[in-house]
Amino acid sequence: MTKAKTLIILLVTAVVGVGLFFIVKGMGGGSMNNMPGMEMGDSSDSQPAAVQNVPVEVLTGNTISLTAKTGKLQIDAKTTKEVWTYNGSVPGPQIRVKQGAMLNITLKNELPEPTTIHWHGLPIPNNMDGIPGVTMNAVQPGESFTYQFKVDVPGSYWYHSHQNGVEQVDKGLYGSFIVEPADEQAKPARDYTVVLDEWMEQDGMSMGGGNNMAGMDMGGNSGMSGMDMKGMSEAEMMPLMYTIYTANGRSGSAIEPLKVKQGEKVRIRLINAGYISHQLHLQGHAFKIVATDGQPINNPPGVNGQLLNIAPGERYDIEFEANNPGNWLLEEHSKNPGAKGITIPIVYEGFKGKPAKADNSELPVLDITQYGEAAQAQFTLDQKYDVEYTMDLNTETKDGEMAFTINGKTFPDTDPIKVKTGDKVKVKLVNKSPEDIHPMHLHGVFFQVLSKNGVPVSGSPLIKDTLNVLPGEEYEIAFLADNPGNWLFHCHDLGHAAAGMMTLVKYEGFKPDFTVDPNANNRPE
C-alpha cells in the first residue's frame, strides 16, 4: 500500500475501523518576489542548533537551473520542519520571465527518490508537462532533465512536483512562476506574490487503537489527544490535522509585512499550494480581482466586505489603491483551527499607529461567476459541441478503502475524454461527494466556465484551469482541443487524486515521444 493511500484511508475511513500507523512530514511554503530570506538548515539533524538564512531567489533569463534536495524550514520562532526544496528554499525560486521567452529549465534530482516538475496552468507542449508515466519517465536520484518550452500566455502560475505529488508537494516542492506581459504599459508600484499552505504540527503521528479509532493518540502538540474522529469525513479531518497555516512559508507573527506607500497601486498574486481552501479578507481597502488562474477579469469592480475563497491549485491576482494609511491585515476568515496563522500585515511606510487587529465579523464569500462585466466569449451554452462528457465526482468505499471516483471508477481505470484536434468540448462537473470539495484542474489548455448550478455565468467571461466544486454543485465548462497530447484532468486536493480522482484528455492519433520505463517507479498523482 502506498503512503498516499495510507494517508487517505487514515483520514477518511475511520468508520471502516482500520487501524493504521503512519508518518507524515509537516510541510509548508510560499513565495514572494520581494520577500526576505527563509531560514533553512543542514538536513542531517532534525533539531539543528542554528538555522541559516536562505533567501528565495528570483530567476530570470532563458536558462534556469533547479535542484531538488532536502533541507529545513523555520516557519516561526518555535517550529522548524524538515522539507524538500528547490535550490534550498521553500518555496523554490520564483521564475519571472517575459511573455514569448523560450526557456531551458534543468531539474537536477538530489532527492532520495524520483521526481518531476509540472508547470501548473502553463499551456506548453505535452512532452514538457512533467507527468511521470504519461508524458515522461520520472527523473531518478542523481539524474537531470531539461524542460524546454515557450511561454506565450502572461499570468500568475506555479510549478510543483507531479511524482507522488501528495507527498512531494506536501514536503515543499513548489514555487511561483510569473509570466509578465510583453506589452505591459503600467506596472503596479508594488507586486507581491503570496503562496498559502498548511502543515501538521508534528512531523509524525501514531494512529494506534486497533479497530477502535476513537482512542487514537494524536500527540500533545496537535491538541487532538484522545479526540474521537470516528465517522468524520476527510473534509472534517483535514483542518484538524493540518493546523499550521502559512503565507510564504511563515505563520502568524513571523510573516513578513507587505510594505506600501500612500498613493501606490499594489498587486498581490495569491497561490494556494496546499490541501485546504482559504477565505481571505483585506482590511481597510476595496480591491479588484484582476485575474483568476492568470487570466484577466473583464472590468472588475471593487470588492469590499466580501471574502475571496482560494481553493487548492487556484490563483487570484488582486489590486488595490493604497489610499487608507494605517496598519492592516490580509487575513484568513475561516473557522478552521489554523486560520489565525494567515495574518499578513499591510504596513504603510511612515505610519506609527497601533498594530492591526484581526476582524472577526461574519462576511459573505464572493461568487466569481457573477463578478466583473459580461463580454463576448469563445463559447456559449447553446452552441454545438463535438464532444460532451459528464464527470460525476464522488467519495466511495472500494474493497474496504476510501476512494475518490470519476463516474464510479478510479485512475487508471477512469474513462478518458477522447478528442480530436480542433474539437469543441463541453464537460459537466457534478460533485456528488456528501462533504468533500473537489478543485478540478485541467492540464494543457484553459477552459471557460459556462454555468453554475444551471445558471449561466453572468459576470466576466471566466477562463480558468482549476475550478473549485463544492458538494452538490454542478458546473458546465468548455474548451478547444488545440494542444495535442495526453493531458491529466484531476482533483487538486492531491490526496483525492492519489486515491483515484484523475482521468485523461486523450487526443486521437497522438503518440508520446517516450517509452515508459517499468523501473522508473512512475507515480503520476
Side-chain angles (χ1 to χ4, degrees), residues 442-465:
L442 175 60
H443 293 214
V445 297
F446 299 104
F447 55 79
Q448 180 185 332
V449 183
L450 301 175
S451 70
K452 175 184 178 182
N453 299 330
V455 178
V457 169
S458 59
S460 168
L462 191 55
I463 311 302
K464 293 179 65 63
D465 56 66

Side-chain angles (χ1 to χ4, degrees), residues 257-270:
L258 307 185
K259 295 181 180 180
V260 302
K261 189 175 182 179
Q262 187 171 0
E264 291 179 333
K265 178 183 287 187
V266 182
R267 175 185 291 154
I268 304 177
R269 304 172 188 265
L270 299 161

Side-chain angles (χ1 to χ4, degrees), residues 128-450:
M128 295 291 110
D129 198 43
I131 313 304
V134 178
T135 70
M136 64 180 293
N137 289 307
V139 182
Q140 300 302 303
E143 297 185 0
S144 298
F145 181 85
T146 298
Y147 296 89
Q148 298 177 308
F149 54 85
K150 186 179 180 182
V151 287
D152 289 319
V153 185
S156 299
Y157 306 98
W158 61 302
Y159 62 95
H160 60 82
S161 170
H162 223 295
Q163 162 76 9
N164 186 21
V166 67
E167 294 186 6
Q168 292 195 3
V169 176
D170 206 27
K171 291 178 178 180
L173 284 179
Y174 54 81
S176 57
F177 194 126
I178 310 303
V179 181
E180 298 178 342
D183 59 351
E184 188 171 20
Q185 300 299 314
K187 293 184 178 181
R190 311 273 180 160
D191 188 338
Y192 293 110
T193 304
V194 175
V195 182
L196 308 172
D197 199 2
E198 317 86 35
W199 309 1
M200 292 187 183
E201 291 194 30
Q202 295 188 36
D203 284 346
M205 291 185 181
S206 177
M207 308 294 283
N211 288 333
N212 181 6
M213 302 288 283
M216 69 175 76
D217 180 11
M218 297 295 295
N221 288 337
S222 66
M224 297 177 63
S225 182
M227 177 175 289
D228 186 351
M229 299 179 75
K230 184 175 182 180
M232 282 189 182
S233 68
E234 187 261 5
E236 292 173 310
M237 285 191 195
M238 289 294 281
L240 299 179
M241 300 180 72
Y242 283 81
T243 56
I244 301 176
Y245 286 10
T246 58
N248 298 326
R250 300 295 181 95
S251 188
S253 62
I255 295 174
E256 185 74 12
L258 307 185
K259 295 181 180 180
V260 302
K261 189 175 182 179
Q262 187 171 0
E264 291 179 333
K265 178 183 287 187
V266 182
R267 175 185 291 154
I268 304 177
R269 304 172 188 265
L270 299 161
I271 300 172
N272 189 344
Y275 286 143
I276 297 172
S277 295
H278 297 286
Q279 297 177 357
L280 301 181
H281 172 228
L282 176 62
Q283 295 179 358
H285 302 80
F287 66 89
K288 296 180 178 181
I289 304 170
V290 297
T292 175
D293 292 350
Q295 308 316 298
I297 296 290
N298 183 50
N299 197 16
V303 176
N304 203 343
Q306 290 178 282
L307 302 178
L308 173 60
N309 186 80
I310 177 168
E314 284 190 311
R315 290 92 63 214
Y316 286 95
D317 291 13
I318 66 172
E319 290 185 357
F320 66 93
E321 297 291 338
N323 57 10
N324 190 7
N327 290 325
W328 305 102
L329 294 175
L330 175 61
E331 57 182 339
E332 161 91 39
H333 247 245
S334 75
K335 296 180 180 179
N336 293 334
K340 292 182 179 179
I342 297 178
T343 51
I344 306 166
I346 308 290
V347 177
Y348 279 71
E349 290 183 359
F351 186 80
K352 303 297 184 183
K354 296 180 180 179
K357 294 184 178 180
D359 178 357
N360 297 316
S361 57
E362 294 287 334
L363 298 172
V365 177
L366 179 141
D367 184 349
I368 195 65
T369 66
Q370 299 179 26
Y371 181 76
E373 185 177 301
Q376 185 173 0
Q378 184 176 15
F379 299 107
T380 63
L381 277 168
D382 55 3
Q383 74 179 76
K384 183 179 183 300
Y385 288 91
D386 302 294
V387 176
E388 296 192 24
Y389 184 102
T390 296
M391 189 177 291
D392 288 341
L393 312 171
N394 213 341
T395 306
E396 304 180 45
T397 301
K398 290 183 176 291
D399 300 324
E401 298 184 4
M402 191 56 62
F404 294 91
T405 62
I406 295 176
N407 297 334
K409 299 179 181 179
T410 56
F411 189 80
D413 298 324
T414 48
D415 296 320
I417 303 174
K418 296 180 179 180
V419 302
K420 298 188 296 293
T421 301
D423 278 351
K424 296 178 178 67
V425 184
K426 184 168 73 172
V427 178
K428 181 183 289 186
L429 299 165
V430 185
N431 187 350
K432 295 188 174 182
S433 295
E435 297 183 51
D436 295 309
I437 299 170
H438 301 307
M440 298 302 295
H441 173 51
L442 175 60
H443 293 214
V445 297
F446 299 104
F447 55 79
Q448 180 185 332
V449 183
L450 301 175

